[in-house]
Amino acid sequence: MKDILILLFRSKRFIVGFVLFLGILSFALIGPILNPKNPFQMVGGLFSPPSDRFILGTDNLGRDVFTQLMYGTRTSLLIGCTAGLIATTIGVTIGSIAGYKGGIIEEVLMGITNVFITIPSIVILILLSIAIKARSAVVMGLVIGITAWPWTARAVRAQTSSLKTREHIDIARITGFSSLEMIIYEILPYMFSYIFMAFILQFSGGILNEATLSMLGLGPFQTVSLGVMLHWSLLWEAVRTGAWWAFIPPVICLSMTTFSLMSMNTGMDEVFNPRLRRS
Amino acid sequence: MKNPFARYILQKISWYILAFFVAVSLNFILPRLIPGNPVSVIVNQMATGGVQSDVLERLYSTYMKEFGLDKPLYIQYFNYLRNIFRWNLGTSFMLYPGKVKDLIGRALPWTISLQVPAILSGWIIGNLLGAFSAYKGGKFDSVAFTLSLVFSNIPYYCLAIVFLYLLAVRFGLFPVGGGYSFGMVPTLSLRFIMNALYHYILPYLSMVLVAIGGQAIGMREMSLYELTSDYVNYAKNLGIRDERIIRYVFRNAMLPQITGLAISFGTMMGGALVTESVFSYPGVGSLLFTAIRQNDYPLIQGCTLIITVAVLTANFLVEIAYGFIDPRIRAVQLGER
């Protein structure tokens, strides 16, 4: 474990992503504590440009953009993390059971997975969001998570199938482990790094899906998120009236968050797959 | 079935029909889970908007009939399926009595002519760039890879917003949105086409750059795997010329990327829809944006249906092409192995 950490911090991409992500995380978590304002409170004129009083100006209703940005980033991270955890959990469960069990169970589970890979997830997301009227941030994360698992399931199944043929599996089987014990003790630990990378991917995908849904007008209720901020900008024509402070900050926050996660992911990929490393 | 390739296609077709039915069933069931029911939600909304009561009455009866909400669920479902196959998608709430199929029919050509070229050209350029930078290595690789990483991580609509603001609003180089100039009538005249192309550039650009980045990263990774493989070392030791080896590498790395193309159609969809609404491009995305704002359930359902059909069709075509191209699938199908 310690060796892995040393290796990870030798990867420049990982460090860049990690530091950037820590920065965003502390902005979103510590910011609201130091600056406890209500992001929905109207404090100034409409679309007033950045000034000493409002670092990032105000939006169409005279609300402080900087405050919105802190709370919005926090909501987006919460939704992304919830979605990532749920998608990874479902994906790993289905993938490892299918891969380890094989036979008819594998056929059925992978059949379901493939059907849900084929159907564009945005369609299911839109329909689910419409059906659920009270969408809190956590509910949204849940909805995104239960549409995002198929890729993870497919990848984990492939990994499990190849791990299954190793010798330590045969030895463990002789000692009389049940299938569940086999998967938990003998399979999953060997692909821990892989699962963690899948989680990072799902995390970033969750944030993006939140933004997409929110921009279409299906965001969380009574909460500000990065996507909701962009939705307001579209709805109230902030872009065409030139109020850049209302939409450029969430755009930068969103892009930096996904970039930091992806950068960590590629860094890990280089560490765990030595073939990608150039000597 | 005598012909193995026909069997491959048949297998794929049945697979896609299954996916289609699952999607259609979700399309049917989910809006019906709205507390109350969609019809009363919309009629209540209109009632607060001050619509006369006899009009409300008529609206209510129209939609109750269309949704068939007074009948048992399984009959509603069969009615729904029958209507879909007759291409009868119901009546829009917000543009009553406009037909959903007409609204979508008008929007669809715009969406297709924006997205298909953006995805295809992004895919081709991205693959060439990825393969080249994997082969080239050094400075070129690290610059190209970093740029790809940056671009592929900017969501489409973020790039779209930045482009719209900088290039259209700020510097006035491009129109600030729409598919063509206000007051123009869509015709096949040269003037209209030039005008439409002018409006096309920014939405296209904001999608294609992101697509190039994503594909280049995937292709680079595949090519790196291939470049370190045994057959490449063997070929090098045999003294085969580099160009030859690159061609082998490219062809082998390309195969998984074809699956990547199929994936793009599905995964790009969400971002592409939002990109359209950023530019007020008259496609399905903008239509969906307005429909959601107005709680226009029949129109939303129509949009999600057409998106599903479009993505499934694109995926299907790519998979068939894959069957032709991949020598392993071809060999299995022709019984050579």
Side-chain angles (χ1 to χ4, degrees):
Chain A
M1 193 64 203
K2 208 177 151 204
D3 298 343
I4 291 177
L5 282 179
I6 291 169
L7 263 178
L8 273 181
F9 280 96
R10 230 181 261 164
S11 157
K12 236 190 283 171
R13 290 191 204 288
F14 182 81
I15 296 177
V16 169
F18 187 69
V19 170
L20 196 59
F21 185 71
L22 273 190
I24 296 165
L25 195 66
S26 46
F27 172 69
L29 293 185
I30 302 171
I33 298 172
L34 296 180
N35 183 15
K37 286 185 199 148
N38 180 358
F40 284 95
Q41 201 181 2
M42 296 167 204
V43 287
L46 37 147
F47 284 141
S48 34
S51 61
D52 289 344
R53 195 153 154 250
F54 308 112
I55 310 173
L56 290 174
T58 60
D59 73 350
N60 58 293
L61 292 171
R63 299 172 296 196
D64 184 20
V65 174
F66 186 72
T67 311
Q68 283 178 5
L69 195 65
M70 286 185 316
Y71 285 90
T73 309
R74 193 172 72 174
T75 313
S76 286
L77 287 176
L78 172 68
I79 293 176
C81 189
T82 314
L85 282 175
I86 287 168
T88 314
T89 311
I90 301 177
V92 168
T93 311
I94 290 185
S96 57
I97 292 176
Y100 182 75
K101 282 287 195 182
I104 186 82
I105 293 177
E106 182 177 18
E107 298 261 330
V108 171
L109 287 180
M110 283 302 111
I112 297 171
T113 308
N114 285 334
V115 165
F116 281 98
I117 281 181
T118 321
I119 301 172
S121 63
I122 186 68
V123 165
I124 306 178
L125 279 176
I126 291 172
L127 292 171
L128 266 177
S129 306
I130 287 170
I132 301 169
K133 272 289 144 189
R135 291 187 301 272
S136 66
V138 174
V139 168
M140 237 185 122
L142 213 85
V143 166
I144 294 172
I146 58 175
T147 57
W149 57 269
W151 289 108
T152 309
R154 188 186 261 189
V156 167
R157 187 211 65 97
Q159 290 274 319
T160 311
S161 294
S162 79
L163 267 174
K164 199 169 69 170
T165 57
R166 292 211 193 153
E167 278 173 0
H168 74 268
I169 300 286
D170 291 334
I171 293 168
R173 206 177 278 148
I174 294 169
T175 60
F177 272 16
S178 70
S179 296
L180 190 68
E181 283 171 317
M182 289 292 289
I183 290 174
I184 293 174
Y185 298 113
E186 301 297 328
I187 302 254
L188 293 185
Y190 290 84
M191 40 190 217
F192 179 73
S193 64
Y194 196 80
I195 293 172
F196 189 66
M197 279 163 59
F199 167 69
I200 299 244
L201 277 183
Q202 292 283 11
F203 191 158
S204 131
I207 291 175
L208 290 180
N209 273 326
E210 182 277 327
T212 306
L213 275 179
S214 298
M215 282 182 80
L216 284 172
L218 295 168
F221 277 166
Q222 279 145 18
T223 318
V224 54
S225 71
L226 294 176
V228 168
M229 289 178 77
L230 290 173
H231 178 65
W232 287 336
S233 305
L234 281 192
L235 209 54
W236 308 108
E237 297 289 0
V239 184
R240 289 191 184 90
T241 48
W244 57 268
W245 54 88
F247 57 88
I248 294 290
V251 160
I252 291 176
C253 253
L254 198 59
S255 307
M256 279 206 321
T257 313
T258 49
F259 176 77
S260 70
L261 289 168
M262 283 308 283
S263 191
M264 271 159 74
N265 185 66
T266 27
M268 283 192 257
D269 211 7
E270 282 169 352
V271 171
F272 299 130
N273 295 328
R275 281 179 80 179
L276 287 177
R277 248 179 293 166
R278 288 192 193 272
S279 46
Chain B
M1 193 61 68
K2 284 270 164 58
N3 185 345
F5 199 74
R7 198 167 58 211
Y8 172 77
I9 292 180
L10 206 71
Q11 190 190 342
K12 289 290 168 201
I13 289 179
S14 44
W15 199 242
Y16 276 93
I17 289 178
L18 177 64
F20 176 75
F21 270 101
V22 173
V24 164
S25 307
L26 289 174
N27 217 359
F28 165 80
I29 200 78
L30 288 175
R32 279 173 173 72
L33 296 178
I34 298 166
N37 66 55
V39 179
S40 60
V41 168
I42 197 75
V43 172
N44 282 339
Q45 197 175 307
M46 286 188 171
T48 50
V51 181
Q52 283 166 337
S53 62
D54 55 321
V55 180
L56 281 182
E57 198 93 341
R58 212 174 57 228
L59 279 175
Y60 194 78
S61 65
T62 311
Y63 286 115
M64 280 313 266
K65 214 174 105 213
E66 239 172 44
F67 273 73
L69 288 178
D70 45 346
K71 301 196 184 73
L73 205 61
Y74 69 95
I75 294 184
Q76 288 181 37
Y77 184 61
F78 284 118
N79 284 340
Y80 178 72
L81 284 184
R82 201 179 55 208
N83 283 334
I84 284 179
F85 285 112
R86 288 183 183 164
W87 194 231
N88 173 11
L89 303 177
T91 313
S92 159
F93 283 144
M94 64 174 185
L95 294 167
Y96 188 83
K99 290 283 171 214
V100 170
K101 63 175 178 191
D102 297 333
L103 292 168
I104 289 180
R106 241 173 289 153
L108 197 60
W110 292 97
T111 299
I112 290 178
S113 56
L114 176 63
Q115 297 203 17
V116 172
I119 293 175
L120 282 182
S121 57
W123 183 72
I124 293 170
I125 300 171
N127 280 320
L128 291 176
L129 181 70
F132 190 68
S133 80
Y135 169 71
K136 197 83 169 146
K139 260 247 148 35
F140 182 87
D141 179 41
S142 86
V143 170
F145 182 54
T146 310
L147 275 182
S148 305
L149 205 59
V150 169
F151 269 111
S152 67
N153 283 299
I154 302 177
Y156 300 101
Y157 35 90
C158 285
L159 201 60
I161 289 178
V162 173
F163 276 0
L164 177 64
Y165 174 65
L166 281 182
L167 300 177
V169 177
R170 198 72 201 224
F171 296 117
L173 296 174
F174 293 99
V176 292
Y180 47 89
S181 289
F182 192 71
M184 262 191 146
V185 183
T187 46
L188 271 178
S189 68
L190 187 68
R191 203 170 133 256
F192 178 78
I193 292 173
M194 292 312 285
N195 188 279
L197 279 178
Y198 184 43
H199 285 74
Y200 184 83
I201 298 173
L202 275 190
Y204 171 79
L205 215 56
S206 61
M207 284 176 61
V208 85
L209 284 178
V210 179
I212 289 175
Q215 295 295 345
I217 290 179
M219 186 61 179
R220 176 183 174 272
E221 193 166 315
M222 286 315 302
S223 305
L224 281 183
Y225 266 109
E226 294 290 334
L227 280 170
T228 52
S229 61
D230 292 339
Y231 76 87
V232 171
N233 285 333
Y234 182 62
K236 270 185 188 154
N237 290 338
L238 282 181
I240 294 177
R241 274 179 295 124
D242 264 8
E243 298 97 84
R244 193 102 195 239
I245 300 178
I246 296 166
R247 223 179 316 150
Y248 293 145
V249 168
F250 188 77
R251 282 178 62 167
N252 282 333
M254 207 48 211
L255 277 178
Q257 290 303 102
I258 295 175
T259 337
L261 177 64
I263 297 163
S264 307
F265 280 107
T267 51
M268 277 183 76
M269 210 42 167
L273 295 171
V274 179
T275 305
E276 281 185 8
S277 59
V278 168
F279 289 105
S280 319
Y281 206 72
V284 178
S286 300
L287 197 63
L288 185 63
F289 184 80
T290 346
I292 288 174
R293 209 175 53 198
Q294 310 269 356
N295 280 335
D296 191 341
Y297 300 115
L299 190 51
I300 297 172
Q301 272 184 306
C303 289
T304 48
L305 180 74
I306 203 71
I307 293 166
T308 311
V309 172
V311 171
L312 291 187
T313 314
N315 279 356
F316 177 69
L317 293 178
V318 173
E319 281 215 43
I320 296 302
Y322 191 79
F324 273 111
I325 295 163
D326 190 341
R328 281 164 298 189
I329 291 186
R330 212 169 45 206
V332 171
Q333 296 304 330
L334 296 176
E336 287 168 14
R337 275 190 206 175

